[in-house]
Amino acid sequence: MFRGSIVALITPMDADGGIDDASLKRLVDFHVDAGTTAIVSVGTTGESATLDEDEHCRLIARTLQLADGRIPVIAGTGANSTREAITLTRCAKEAGADAALLVTPYYNKPTQEGLYLHYRAVAEAVDIPQILYNVPGRTACDLLPETVARLAKVDNIIGIKDATGDLKRVAALREGCGEGFALYSGDDASACDFMLLGGDGDISVTANVAPRLMQEMCQAALADQRVLARACDRRLSALHRDLFVQSNPIPVKWAACELGLCGVGIRLPLTWLSDQFHARVRAALEQAGCL
């Protein structure tokens, strides 16, 4: 089980939207040096929605190559087509990923039974540890705790990233899925409380730019060191808020560029951070000690 701060890594791009390999290496090394628990490659923050299948697979493989066993890599392999999710998950396994993270099928609004059958099909098709990912604010689809409890019985489904921000779900998921099932927050603003209530970590946007402080907060929360955890979280609170002033990953890519971690590059239909938000995001970086 991965425990602590897991970065939902941005995909660095050049001005034309091509993948920037030099910056990818810089980012991987940055997180190894900072002690980040693991990297999620090509998740939502990694702009998976605008990468084609070949790019998706090659980026996972390249991230693993750059990590070189120094940090675990979890591959984002979800899709709204079960067949595509299986294909991407096979790519991740063949590349040597430590696990796969699969977002709920978006846009087509499956039933709970459809979600169960989708995830079971991927798990049965590809023998790699798999983490469910529930983010109804993006997908228009909510993976309910009782469905997660059914899926927790599938051997290689090992956990869930829950990005609902609903802290009541922690107890419901733990009760339904058992102690051996990993519970990860996908909502930075509530992640500290999520872990203090029994979660195992945070798959984080904020960790892209404040990895050491995020790891310190997560480890304190996991050790039930509440005063330290909350003190760290207060320093991070402006980032948790302001990295979402426009759609993720727009603000965090600008922030990473501001720190010299990557260049100016994002793919349409996303655009670079609007000028009106620059001072606000810069102030959040300063509050967290990143600048």
Side-chain angles (χ1 to χ4, degrees):
M1 184 188 294
F2 314 100
R3 302 190 85 234
S5 175
I6 301 168
V7 62
L9 194 69
I10 61 171
T11 296
M13 296 174 181
D14 58 33
D16 296 322
I19 294 170
D20 179 355
D21 190 73
S23 292
L24 181 62
K25 182 181 187 306
R26 190 178 303 118
L27 287 165
V28 171
D29 290 344
F30 179 60
H31 287 287
V32 171
D33 292 345
T36 298
T37 294
I39 287 170
V40 169
S41 176
V42 204
T44 302
T45 308
E47 294 176 80
S48 57
T50 52
L51 295 176
D52 64 36
E53 190 174 292
D54 181 62
E55 287 178 313
H56 197 126
C57 291
R58 283 192 288 110
L59 186 55
I60 290 168
R62 182 58 176 151
T63 304
L64 281 154
Q65 184 181 35
L66 292 169
D68 194 25
R70 297 175 297 160
I71 186 171
V73 176
I74 301 166
T77 62
N80 63 346
S81 158
T82 304
R83 290 184 179 185
E84 183 181 357
I86 289 171
T87 298
L88 292 173
T89 307
R90 282 182 177 145
C91 283
K93 179 177 171 59
E94 290 166 5
D98 295 277
L101 176 70
L102 294 106
V103 70
T104 52
Y106 43 85
Y107 189 76
N108 44 21
K109 294 186 178 181
T111 63
Q112 293 300 303
E113 184 65 14
L115 289 169
Y116 171 76
L117 293 171
H118 166 83
Y119 280 116
R120 193 181 74 178
V122 180
E124 290 175 348
V126 191
D127 185 17
I128 185 174
Q130 296 178 23
I131 300 167
L132 314 172
Y133 175 17
N134 187 35
V135 55
R138 280 187 176 267
T139 63
C141 169
D142 190 2
L143 183 64
L144 298 178
E146 51 265 36
T147 306
V148 179
R150 292 177 69 194
L151 288 165
K153 296 174 184 176
V154 179
D155 287 344
N156 55 326
I157 296 179
I158 65 165
I160 183 170
K161 173 184 176 181
D162 185 90
T164 63
D166 180 1
L167 293 172
K168 294 177 182 177
R169 291 204 177 192
V170 181
L173 288 166
R174 182 59 75 210
E175 181 179 356
C177 302
E179 290 298 326
F181 192 78
L183 304 181
Y184 302 112
S185 173
D187 176 61
D188 282 323
S190 60
C192 182
D193 287 329
F194 186 100
M195 286 178 282
L196 290 171
L197 289 168
D200 297 293
D202 180 26
I203 298 179
S204 169
V205 175
T206 299
N208 277 282
V209 291
R212 291 185 188 276
L213 188 55
M214 277 299 300
Q215 185 68 295
E216 185 179 359
M217 184 273 283
C218 288
Q219 294 304 323
L222 292 172
D224 202 32
Q225 296 175 343
R226 292 173 178 258
V227 174
L228 176 58
R230 294 194 189 284
C232 293
D233 199 48
R234 281 193 296 274
R235 290 177 60 196
L236 291 161
S237 60
L239 281 175
H240 296 336
R241 180 191 67 231
D242 293 339
L243 290 181
F244 295 89
V245 291
Q246 290 186 312
S247 297
N248 179 45
I250 291 172
V252 74
K253 292 195 89 172
W254 182 90
C257 181
E258 189 77 355
L259 297 179
L261 295 169
C262 65
V264 177
I266 199 163
R267 283 194 183 176
L268 289 171
L270 298 183
T271 53
W272 204 236
L273 184 68
S274 299
D275 291 350
Q276 71 194 81
F277 297 118
H278 290 191
R280 183 169 168 182
V281 176
R282 189 178 292 112
L285 289 168
E286 290 171 351
Q287 179 178 309
C290 302
L291 287 173

